[in-house]
Amino acid sequence: MKLLALESCNVTYGKAQALHSVSIEVAQGEVVSLIGRNGAGKSTILKTIIGLKQPVSGRRVWKGDDVTARLPNQLGRLGIGYVPEDRRIFDNLTVHENLRIATVMGRTGAWTETRIFEMFPVLLDRASQAGNTLSGGEQQMLAISRALLTNPELLLLDEPTEGLAPLIVDELVDSMRRINEEGMTLLLVEQNLRVPMKLAHRQYVVDNGTVQWSGTTADLLANREEIEKLISV
Amino acid sequence: MSIIVIGLSLSFLLFLLAAGLTLIFGMLGVINFAHGALYMLGAFVGYQIVHMTGSFWLGLLFAPLIVACVGALIEILALKQVYDRDHIFQLLLTFGFILVIDDATKMIWGFDYKQVPTPEIFMAPISMFGSQIPSYRLFVIGFGAAVSLALFLLLDRSKWGMIIRAASSDPEMAQTLGVNVNRVRTGVFALGAYLAALGGVVSAPLVPIELGMGFSVIIDCFVVVIIGGLGNIRGAILASLLLGMTRAAGYTYATEWVELLTFALLIGTLMFRPAGLFSTKGRSA
């Protein structure tokens, strides 16, 4: 079943056009990645999905319904979770409050605080600390946990492994795989192929605000040289 | 002794106003020039209720609620329309509301100053440490402390406080988590108006209720907010205490020097600790 689609979306920042007629589809249960270099428009695509950017033309479709006019809080309540670039931990909330704020909208499901603390025990140790005292890796775990606690059907992850030590990246990749195996759909943004190759079923290559290529991970392997040219700096 | 009592009562009144100003700045990014006008409106509405019912307590209960509704309307009908614009539009708008509220007050209550009698149970002074202390001042201290404590509990411990803090720190992120930030903004502005009006009603038995009353108090509040650190509510309570005690001491020993002392504190802060005397790295509200 088609969970989410952007249809021919044009998005602008002031006079600069960031996305040119971008169309993306994500089906239930998939892991899809958007790859491309810095500034290609990947983050803007995620922001358009969660409603932080509104398309000047084009449609946002959720489970077959046109939700173009909805606001981020309404899209969050529909079941879209968002892990932003730079994590955006609330720095004046404790670690525990950063998790509790996600439960305020009242979406319940498989993800509970207990499960989060089982998956990332370090967050329990740091529960009463201020959110901004965590290390980069811990902040990433917190940002992912916060989004999981909204029990989303679709989880958007903007460069979740950026700037993290390789060991922690492996740990996060394992966690994301488990999350997907339990039925959650993931849409992942990355600058390189490392994590997408391990996790994603399908790939979109984004450059200059347009989708330049799309296909399965097997297709990508077959065209690896061409793709790497598109995303290399 | 009376310096301490007057200083503390002045401090808590200042804090009621400065807290609202700080909360509104933290959440809306707007310096609410009309805060003093809302304080004055609270005093006039309080006067009206006391005048009609004969009960100070009904005034204390209902006048702030009425002014909170006025605040909510100001936010929804006017401020909300200009958030996307440049900052100066929001400042001009809140400045405009001073004139609107002043003129509305003139039309309803005229030019004469009004008085609210001290509630009967606080008529008699109390002897403490060898001096006669006006008991209403003691009530103001106790009430102010209780409201301040309630405010801190609301912000630090309650679900609503957590939402306000999150939405102040990163409104977009809070919104993706299902928080209706528009409604939080309205709520915070109404809460600020409520606290300002509460200050107005509590001051009513102490000062003449007149058109200019909002103006003098708002200046002191800006001084408190700057000394405490813009957007820092913990700083605001310490700064309120500092300024309130300074002014009380000034009234007693060197009346002509009160304003000078106030602004010396302000200028000293701006010169040596421009982020506020009590600034910490994060904002607490």
Side-chain angles (χ1 to χ4, degrees), chain A residues 95-138:
Chain A
V95 169
H96 194 197
E97 285 175 329
N98 266 283
L99 295 172
R100 273 175 46 215
I101 187 90
T103 62
V104 164
M105 72 163 116
R107 283 186 62 95
T108 52
W111 289 97
T112 59
E113 272 181 23
T114 321
R115 273 202 65 191
I116 292 292
F117 289 141
E118 272 168 25
M119 187 162 76
F120 300 124
V122 65
L123 296 182
L124 183 60
D125 299 337
R126 308 231 186 282
S128 57
Q129 279 177 228
N132 56 357
T133 59
L134 298 185
S135 73
E138 291 163 351

Side-chain angles (χ1 to χ4, degrees), chain A residues 81-83 102 142-152 155-156, chain B residues 177:
Chain A
Y82 178 49
V83 180
L142 182 55
I144 293 175
S145 304
R146 182 176 62 182
L148 285 174
L149 277 176
T150 66
N151 282 291
L155 182 59
L156 312 174
Chain B
L177 295 167

Side-chain angles (χ1 to χ4, degrees), chain A residues 50 52 71-73 76-77 80 82 84 87-94 97 100-102 104-105 146-147 150, chain B residues 156-159 162-163 165-170 172-182 282-285:
Chain A
I50 189 67
L52 292 178
L71 299 170
N73 51 321
R77 281 167 192 267
I80 305 178
Y82 178 49
R87 295 103 192 197
R88 292 172 82 162
I89 299 302
F90 299 112
D91 56 9
N92 52 359
L93 268 60
T94 63
E97 285 175 329
R100 273 175 46 215
I101 187 90
V104 164
M105 72 163 116
R146 182 176 62 182
T150 66
Chain B
D156 275 357
R157 299 287 157 81
S158 77
K159 186 178 101 179
M162 181 175 75
I163 292 172
R165 281 180 289 137
S168 303
S169 143
D170 189 339
E172 280 195 348
M173 194 60 227
Q175 215 175 353
T176 70
L177 295 167
V179 172
N180 187 335
V181 173
N182 276 330
R283 283 195 319 214
S284 61

Side-chain angles (χ1 to χ4, degrees), chain B residues 83-135:
Chain B
Y83 285 136
D84 298 339
R85 307 270 188 87
D86 204 61
H87 239 59
I88 191 76
F89 285 90
Q90 296 145 27
L91 292 180
L92 283 173
L93 194 63
T94 64
F95 188 78
F97 271 104
I98 298 179
L99 307 176
V100 172
I101 293 171
D102 269 10
D103 273 5
T105 305
K106 262 182 238 167
M107 277 161 60
I108 300 171
W109 287 286
F111 288 88
D112 298 341
Y113 75 88
K114 311 286 184 210
Q115 269 185 311
V116 167
T118 305
E120 212 143 299
I121 55 167
F122 297 118
M123 286 297 212
I126 289 175
S127 305
M128 265 172 88
F129 307 106
S131 45
Q132 294 281 312
I133 308 289
S135 54

